[in-house]
């Protein structure tokens, strides 16, 4: 509370890149195609060498796995806090 007003502050966060890729979709009985644009999420840092060198192999890949989870399931159930967070990140 600041001056009697509730304030919200953003803490933490993670860097994830959205990478677009196009899939050509041929039309039926025609020479035309259209592009279907899909998205893939990639981590800000691909591999954590510091954690790997300290023997923590799972932590070295943790950021990559969290980024891949964003685009692995579309339209997750948002009745739980975890599902709401995933929908917001997507």
């Amino acid at each position: 509370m600041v001056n009697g007003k509730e304030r919200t502050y953003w803490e933490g966060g993670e860097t994830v890149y959205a990478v677009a890729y196009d899939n050509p979709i041929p039309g039926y009985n025609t020479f035309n195609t259209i592009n279907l644009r899909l998205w893939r999420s990639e981590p800000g840092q691909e591999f954590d060498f510091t954690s790997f060198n300290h023997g923590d192999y799972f932590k070295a890949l943790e950021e990559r796995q969290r980024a891949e989870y964003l685009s692995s399931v579309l339209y997750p159930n948002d009745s739980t806090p975890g599902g709401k967070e995933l929908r917001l990140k997507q």
Side-chain angles (χ1 to χ4, degrees):
M1 300 279 278
V2 177
N3 297 331
K5 295 180 181 178
E6 187 174 335
R7 297 285 180 154
T8 304
Y9 296 97
W10 181 266
E11 292 182 11
E14 54 190 310
T15 302
V16 178
Y17 297 108
V19 179
Y21 61 97
D22 294 332
N23 287 334
I25 306 296
Y28 175 73
N29 203 18
T30 182
F31 295 107
N32 296 333
T33 63
I34 62 168
N35 284 330
L36 174 64
R37 175 153 289 182
L38 299 175
W39 296 87
R40 177 177 65 239
S41 55
E42 291 184 354
Q45 181 179 354
E46 194 72 28
F47 191 80
D48 186 4
F49 284 105
T50 305
S51 297
F52 182 80
N53 289 334
H54 285 94
D56 195 355
Y57 306 117
F58 293 111
K59 185 165 175 54
L61 294 172
E62 183 179 35
E63 191 171 343
R64 178 181 177 149
Q65 289 175 339
R66 276 198 320 249
E68 289 175 353
Y69 288 148
L70 289 178
S71 58
S72 64
V73 176
L74 293 178
Y75 308 112
N77 184 357
D78 61 356
S79 63
T80 63
K84 290 178 183 179
E85 181 180 352
L86 181 58
R87 286 287 290 267
L88 182 63
K89 287 180 178 180
Q90 287 180 338

